[in-house]
């Protein structure tokens, strides 16, 4: 629904910032622009809502040339989230969120009511609505930025490195939140990042830009990781791309083996008490949730466990669970966190190799 047709942008006196960009972005999907600094991601994004005008070429939205729509109208029809949340410092959070609906003529009380609902949507407590942006954490400010972009319920959302200013844990949360939101909202989202991991997590499709504003590859994340189009993409995606790719490989075939368990009472005693020659046993609480391991010859001591693997997650998670476990056995749990059994690293690796051979045969 958004089409770039041979779009070039040349700022005064420079090399092209965007060079002959042709691509088509489908409705209701997340498209990520990724690439090193200065490769024209922001310029490309801003040409969609005419914050930047192309030097040549045409951009259409729903078949309509964007230059046929007044720039201010176009901008209001698209949510825009930028790197620094871009909130107005002297206005309350609620007023910030209500900005565009107010510009569109929505009465104040109605706009505020909708703004309060949007706080729920982006996972913020309503009491925060009265605060000023500087009284919020970085992650909270970014959520307000997303709420503000959603306020006029635009079909298109443009997001320029919205999560890059927050720490990795918060970023992870915001990414998951965006994916959850998108399930209900099904907006057409164009998302800019320089982080290939973020791109592959979020994107239905990923556009890798190379220096000089050239589109190097435009494909699904899996395809980009599996078959980079050229050396530039391969090096941008990085050396551990094989490992990242596992994040997309289903773990359906992994065998979950039974595991001996002992229950730890709230007082700390184990039932049954592991005897002298006992091997690795998984320690669980009364609900069957894993607490750690008791090792051979370790008596009643509790050895912390590794990462957990939820049924249905990727092979990457299964492998990580096995490799990070003190017993070498990855603990598989159900959606309630109760132990289902264990997976063996060797078996996960065999499946990974099998998946690789299937992929190769398909190429
Ligand atoms: N207003 C401007 N005037 C002149 N040159 C500009 C202007 N804006 C961007 N450029 C240049 O155009 C090129 C592309 O810039 P752009 O901001 O699109 O890159 P980017 O991929 O978003 O980079 P970053 O990851 O650093 O945000 C750069 O060389 C930049 O210096
Ligand atoms: Mg940029």
């Amino acid at each position: 629904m958004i089409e770039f047709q041979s779009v070039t942008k040349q700022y005064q006196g420079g090399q092209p910032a965007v060079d002959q960009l042709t691509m088509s972005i489908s409705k209701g999907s997340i498209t990520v622009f990724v690439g090193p600094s200065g490769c024209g991601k922001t310029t490309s994004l801003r040409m969609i809502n005419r914050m930047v005008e192309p030097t040549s070429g045409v951009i259409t939205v729903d078949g309509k040339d964007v230059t046929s729509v007044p720039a201010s109208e176009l901008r209001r029809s698209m949510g825009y989230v930028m790197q620094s949340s871009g909130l107005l410092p002297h206005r309350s959070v609620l007023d910030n969120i209500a900005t565009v609906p107010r510009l569109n003529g929505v009465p104040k009380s109605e706009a505020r009511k909708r703004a309060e609902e949007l706080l729920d949507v982006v996972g913020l407590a309503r009491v925060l609505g009265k605060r000023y942006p500087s009284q919020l954490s970085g992650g909270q400010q970014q959520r307000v930025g997303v709420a503000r972009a959603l306020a006029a319920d635009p079909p298109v959302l443009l997001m320029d490195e919205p999560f890059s200013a927050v720490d990795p844990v918060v970023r992870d949360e915001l990414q998951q939140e965006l994916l959850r939101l998108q399930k209900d909202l099904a907006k057409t989202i164009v998302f800019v990042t320089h982080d290939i991991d973020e791109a592959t997590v979020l994107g239905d499709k990923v556009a890798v830009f190379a220096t000089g504003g050239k589109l190097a590859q435009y494909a699904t994340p899996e395809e980009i990781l599996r078959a980079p189009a050229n050396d530039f993409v391969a090096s941008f995606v990085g050396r551990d791309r094989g490992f990242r790719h596992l994040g997309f490989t289903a773990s359906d075939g992994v065998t979950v083996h039974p595991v001996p368990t002992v229950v730890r009472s709230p007082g700390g005693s184990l039932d049954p008490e592991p005897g002298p020659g006992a091997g690795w046993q998984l320690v669980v609480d009364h609900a069957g949730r894993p607490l750690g391991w008791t090792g051979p010859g370790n008596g009643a001591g509790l050895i912390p466990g590794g990462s957990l693997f939820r049924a249905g997650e990727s092979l990457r998670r299964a492998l990580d669970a096995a490799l990070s476990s003190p017993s070498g056995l990855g603990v598989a749990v159900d959606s309630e966190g109760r132990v289902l059994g264990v997976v063996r690293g060797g078996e996960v690796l065999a499946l990974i190799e099998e998946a690789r051979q299937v992929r190769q045969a398909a190429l």
Side-chain angles (χ1 to χ4, degrees):
M1 62 107 44
I2 302 175
E3 292 253 351
F4 286 81
Q5 295 160 19
S6 308
V7 173
T8 293
K9 174 65 187 182
Q10 193 152 14
Y11 292 105
Q12 251 178 354
Q15 295 291 313
V18 176
D19 195 2
Q20 294 286 326
L21 177 62
T22 296
M23 69 185 295
S24 154
I25 291 170
S26 43
K27 217 183 181 104
S29 67
I30 302 184
T31 302
V32 179
F33 292 176
V34 68
S37 186
C39 66
K41 306 179 293 292
T42 296
T43 302
S44 299
L45 188 76
R46 291 185 168 184
M47 287 192 289
I48 298 174
N49 71 356
R50 294 184 60 194
M51 286 165 79
V52 172
E53 302 281 1
T55 310
S56 62
V58 175
I59 298 172
T60 63
V61 175
D62 283 335
K64 209 163 152 192
D65 188 332
V66 291
T67 56
S68 69
V69 184
S72 59
E73 194 177 306
L74 192 73
R75 259 165 247 164
R76 279 187 226 166
S77 73
M78 298 182 185
Y80 189 83
V81 187
M82 52 191 139
Q83 174 168 357
S84 58
S85 63
L87 300 174
L88 302 167
H90 303 301
R91 289 205 182 169
S92 72
V93 164
L94 279 187
D95 286 341
N96 264 286
I97 297 173
T99 306
V100 174
R102 292 287 290 137
L103 287 174
N104 286 342
V106 175
K108 191 163 184 175
S109 61
E110 197 178 311
R112 284 189 152 219
K113 190 160 165 280
R114 174 79 187 122
E116 288 202 317
E117 290 165 8
L118 280 163
L119 286 177
D120 301 341
V121 171
V122 299
L124 289 174
R126 289 197 177 196
V127 291
L128 297 181
K130 292 191 206 72
R131 291 203 195 162
Y132 291 93
S134 63
Q135 297 170 313
L136 300 181
S137 73
Q140 289 169 334
Q141 289 184 29
Q142 288 312 112
R143 285 171 196 257
V144 176
V146 173
R148 185 179 54 173
L150 290 172
D153 199 20
V156 175
L157 214 52
L158 308 177
M159 307 180 85
D160 194 355
E161 307 220 20
F163 307 150
S164 62
V166 295
D167 67 66
V169 175
V170 174
R171 188 194 299 194
D172 219 54
E173 261 173 47
L174 292 171
Q175 288 169 356
Q176 293 311 315
E177 198 93 330
L178 181 67
L179 288 174
R180 190 182 58 71
L181 268 178
Q182 172 67 353
K183 265 196 198 147
D184 302 332
L185 301 178
K187 302 280 183 195
T188 303
I189 299 178
V190 187
F191 188 107
V192 167
T193 179
H194 55 259
D195 176 355
I196 186 69
D197 277 328
E198 183 162 76
T200 57
V201 166
L202 293 178
D204 293 305
K205 284 188 85 179
V206 174
V208 184
F209 284 76
T211 319
K214 287 197 167 57
L215 183 59
Q217 187 168 11
Y218 182 40
T220 62
E222 293 177 78
E223 205 175 330
I224 284 172
L225 296 174
R226 172 168 57 81
N230 52 43
D231 289 350
F232 170 79
V233 178
S235 73
F236 184 74
V237 163
R239 268 187 306 161
D240 51 350
R241 71 187 167 90
F243 186 63
R244 288 199 187 102
H245 183 260
L246 294 177
F248 296 98
T249 310
S251 59
D252 305 344
V254 179
T255 309
V256 176
H257 299 276
V259 60
T261 57
V262 292
V263 178
R264 191 162 100 129
S265 71
S269 64
L270 298 181
D271 178 33
E273 194 70 39
W280 285 102
Q281 291 183 295
L282 188 63
V283 182
V284 297
D285 68 10
H286 278 109
R289 288 177 301 236
L291 298 171
W293 293 86
T294 63
N298 190 50
L302 184 70
I303 304 168
S307 66
L308 298 175
F309 160 62
R310 273 175 210 282
E313 282 185 327
S314 63
L315 278 180
R316 180 176 176 164
R317 294 282 183 153
L319 182 62
D320 191 64
L323 293 181
S324 65
S325 169
S327 66
L329 299 168
V331 178
V333 294
D334 66 14
S335 57
E336 248 93 85
R338 290 176 302 231
V339 173
L340 292 171
V342 288
V343 298
R344 298 191 177 133
E347 292 177 2
V348 178
L349 283 170
L351 278 173
I352 289 169
E353 175 59 16
E354 208 173 283
R356 192 185 67 81
Q357 284 175 6
V358 169
R359 279 203 306 275
Q360 291 237 302
L363 275 181

